[in-house]
Amino acid sequence: MNYKEHFDRLIEFLLPYEGMWNSEILEDYPRTMDAYPSAWLDDLERLSKEDLWLFDCKAHTDKLKDQSLIAFMNELSEHTSLDKFSYKVERDFPDWAFRKVKEKKRHEITLITAFLNELEKSSPHSHTIDIGGGVGHLARVLAHYYGIKTKTIDINKEFQEIGLKRSKAFPLPEGANELEFIHMNFIEEGNSKKMQNVFSKDSLTLGLHTCGALANSVIDTHIKMQTKSLLNFGCCYLKMNAMRDCNLSNYAKKVNSLKLTKWSLTLSSRGYTTMSFKQYLLKERVKAFRYTLQLLLNQIHGKSHFVSVGDSHQREYWGDFSSYAEKKLKSLEISHNFSSKELDDFFENSDHKRIVKRMYLANILRWQFGRILEHYILTDRCILLEESGHKVQMKELFDESLSPRNIGIFSTLS
């Protein structure tokens, strides 16, 4: 892939819709609704709940009629289509190898270790460094079941002690290699000799779901320490600083790059493509309560008044709106003269329901930008690596239905 060309195409596609993906609907309602084509909202409004769920979570377009919306969705799919890393799972694992490991994590570890095992056959490394390895499940499988010498780094000493204990709890398979737990904050580590003992020019730097800007630090370490290879999966982009942690490459600084916000970073972190219909109905209910509450706040203050109100337990959303609203208004220390009946009537008001429905449909459209915004962030990282003299691949590895953050960046020195 030509990453600069891909980056340019993403910018060209995204800029006309900036009002949709770079702002939260509630932040400056009703002005924010101006960005959403009425014809698109009308088309979605025709759909049943089931069809809306399929559109929102599965990108199904077969029930749409508006050709411009269909074309938009098709182009969105084209821009986010990636090849997959090749791998071959060559071995079975005993039950204890994944004891207390959830299905999602087991899936990720199984595929990463299979990919790295294939890599070792063609391009062996002195060792692998798993950054942010926690209790060391991934590192343990690599070292013990694939015979790849592995060091796992984490700043949480307690996690590592748990991992070390687990690594000694069961018999080692034949061919097991060394597993080393290193308690270290590599980002702030100022001892160059210590860093050189961990990261060498023959080693592989590994980061599975390095949160927010940690991925940038992993990439920076790969570049500075000149490690032979890097495999990194980002996540939790909402934890990044939009001004500091995005548009890192020189190329991004030269072109008309996107000016991301905390809202677009939150959007890029979306991961509910596997949402069941039952979960979707809960989301619909949550949005109905939250959007109605916003209309109420605007009425109380006499103007648009966005404020974060926090989450509630899901059982509260299936209760009366009045109970939910009274708790939120009390927590916000907002005085009012509404009775419980008046609050429930406010929720049931047909005009309010119509407004809330349009807001909800706009939110569904907005969330379709999550994947392409993630592509933008990751493509910039690929360009940065190329500028530093690395050969880069950006591909999918995991099954998105199990692990939505399934895009990996694999880098080697040219």
Side-chain angles (χ1 to χ4, degrees):
M1 178 187 290
N2 186 314
Y3 294 105
K4 290 181 180 178
E5 289 183 359
H6 184 55
F7 195 69
D8 291 341
R9 286 193 296 268
L10 296 179
I11 293 172
E12 183 181 6
F13 176 80
L14 284 165
L15 274 178
Y17 304 107
E18 185 172 7
M20 297 170 71
W21 53 260
N22 224 5
S23 300
E24 161 59 47
I25 291 171
L26 296 181
E27 186 181 19
D28 192 20
Y29 179 85
R31 183 195 62 80
T32 46
M33 291 294 292
D34 295 340
Y36 297 86
S38 294
W40 291 9
L41 297 177
D42 292 342
D43 203 15
L44 294 181
E45 197 163 13
R46 293 184 311 96
L47 302 183
S48 67
K49 289 181 183 289
E50 290 84 356
D51 290 334
L52 264 178
W53 165 59
L54 291 173
F55 173 83
D56 185 20
C57 300
K58 310 289 184 181
H60 287 196
T61 59
D62 54 306
K63 297 299 177 67
L64 298 178
K65 291 184 177 180
D66 189 287
Q67 294 302 309
S68 63
L69 178 53
I70 294 172
F72 164 81
M73 292 297 293
N74 289 338
E75 191 172 356
L76 194 63
S77 177
E78 291 173 5
H79 285 309
T80 55
S81 177
L82 285 175
D83 292 334
K84 298 186 181 297
F85 286 112
S86 60
Y87 61 89
K88 182 179 180 182
V89 180
E90 294 185 342
R91 64 171 303 153
D92 296 322
F93 299 96
D95 290 339
W96 63 70
F98 289 103
R99 186 184 179 193
K100 295 184 179 181
V101 179
K102 294 181 179 179
E103 180 186 11
K104 173 179 176 289
K105 193 74 169 182
R106 177 171 183 158
H107 171 73
E108 294 164 351
I109 291 174
T110 299
L111 269 58
I112 283 183
T113 53
F115 170 76
L116 293 181
N117 183 55
E118 289 291 308
L119 178 65
E120 286 299 304
K121 294 176 183 178
S122 59
S123 180
H125 299 78
S126 58
H127 62 281
T128 294
I129 309 108
D130 180 21
I131 297 176
V135 297
H137 291 309
L138 172 56
R140 175 172 50 80
V141 173
L142 264 180
H144 290 175
Y145 295 96
Y146 280 107
I148 298 173
K149 183 179 179 181
T150 306
K151 304 173 188 283
T152 176
I153 295 175
D154 204 276
I155 60 174
N156 191 314
K157 184 69 172 177
E158 183 179 350
F159 282 173
Q160 292 196 316
E161 289 174 351
I162 294 171
L164 182 60
K165 183 178 179 180
R166 286 183 182 177
S167 70
K168 297 178 179 179
F170 302 101
L172 294 179
E174 185 178 350
N177 210 323
E178 295 177 33
L179 170 62
E180 182 180 0
F181 288 84
I182 301 175
H183 180 232
M184 176 184 184
N185 184 346
F186 85 100
I187 298 175
E188 299 178 1
E189 181 56 59
N191 188 326
S192 60
K193 288 186 177 180
K194 186 175 181 179
M195 289 288 286
Q196 290 169 3
N197 287 336
V198 176
F199 300 92
S200 72
K201 293 184 178 181
D202 293 321
S203 64
L204 182 144
T205 303
L206 175 62
L208 172 56
H209 293 153
T210 44
C211 288
L214 176 60
N216 296 339
S217 298
V218 170
I219 290 172
D220 185 58
T221 299
H222 167 58
I223 293 171
K224 289 183 176 178
M225 300 305 296
Q226 298 182 343
T227 60
K228 183 176 180 179
S229 304
L230 162 79
L231 179 62
N232 188 75
F233 296 83
C235 73
C236 302
Y237 308 107
L238 74 167
K239 295 182 180 181
M240 298 195 305
N241 180 297
M243 297 297 294
R244 183 187 64 232
D245 301 324
C246 303
N247 298 317
L248 302 173
S249 65
N250 291 328
Y251 188 76
K253 293 178 173 65
K254 292 178 182 178
V255 301
N256 185 28
S257 54
L258 304 179
K259 304 301 185 288
L260 304 181
T261 65
K262 62 179 181 179
W263 304 119
S264 48
L265 291 179
T266 300
L267 193 55
S268 68
S269 304
R270 66 160 289 187
Y272 64 68
T273 55
T274 58
M275 181 181 290
S276 68
F277 183 57
K278 183 178 180 180
Q279 291 170 322
Y280 171 82
L281 292 177
L282 173 61
K283 186 188 80 164
E284 182 186 48
R285 184 75 172 179
V286 169
K287 294 298 184 183
F289 271 37
R290 179 62 185 94
Y291 291 164
T292 304
L293 179 64
Q294 188 60 47
L295 296 182
L296 182 67
L297 289 170
N298 291 354
Q299 180 171 310
I300 291 173
H301 291 278
K303 61 180 181 178
S304 179
H305 183 81
F306 173 73
V307 60
S308 178
V309 302
D311 295 326
S312 298
H313 193 281
Q314 70 178 55
R315 66 172 174 267
E316 294 189 28
Y317 295 109
W318 295 116
D320 294 330
F321 173 74
S322 57
S323 177
Y324 165 83
E326 286 166 352
K327 288 181 180 179
K328 293 300 183 185
L329 292 171
K330 182 178 180 180
S331 68
L332 295 169
E333 299 182 344
I334 295 176
S335 59
H336 65 92
N337 296 315
F338 291 96
S339 67
S340 295
K341 183 180 184 306
E342 287 173 329
L343 288 172
D344 286 328
D345 288 345
F346 190 92
F347 180 75
E348 295 296 337
N349 180 280
S350 58
D351 290 336
H352 295 162
K353 280 186 171 294
R354 165 71 173 169
I355 291 171
V356 167
K357 180 63 178 293
R358 301 289 278 189
M359 294 168 72
Y360 178 66
L361 296 175
N363 178 74
I364 287 178
L365 285 173
R366 181 175 179 270
W367 277 88
Q368 304 311 307
F369 289 95
R371 189 66 160 181
I372 195 169
L373 288 169
E374 181 182 23
H375 266 248
Y376 178 85
I377 294 167
L378 297 181
T379 302
D380 176 47
R381 292 174 180 175
C382 290
I383 296 172
L384 174 66
L385 283 161
E386 286 189 332
E387 291 173 347
S388 302
H390 293 74
K391 183 178 179 181
V392 185
Q393 297 178 48
M394 182 173 73
K395 297 182 180 180
E396 296 179 0
L397 181 60
F398 314 129
D399 181 344
E400 190 178 357
S401 66
L402 283 173
S403 181
R405 303 277 69 78
N406 68 340
I407 303 175
I409 294 177
F410 178 64
S411 166
T412 57
L413 280 169
S414 298

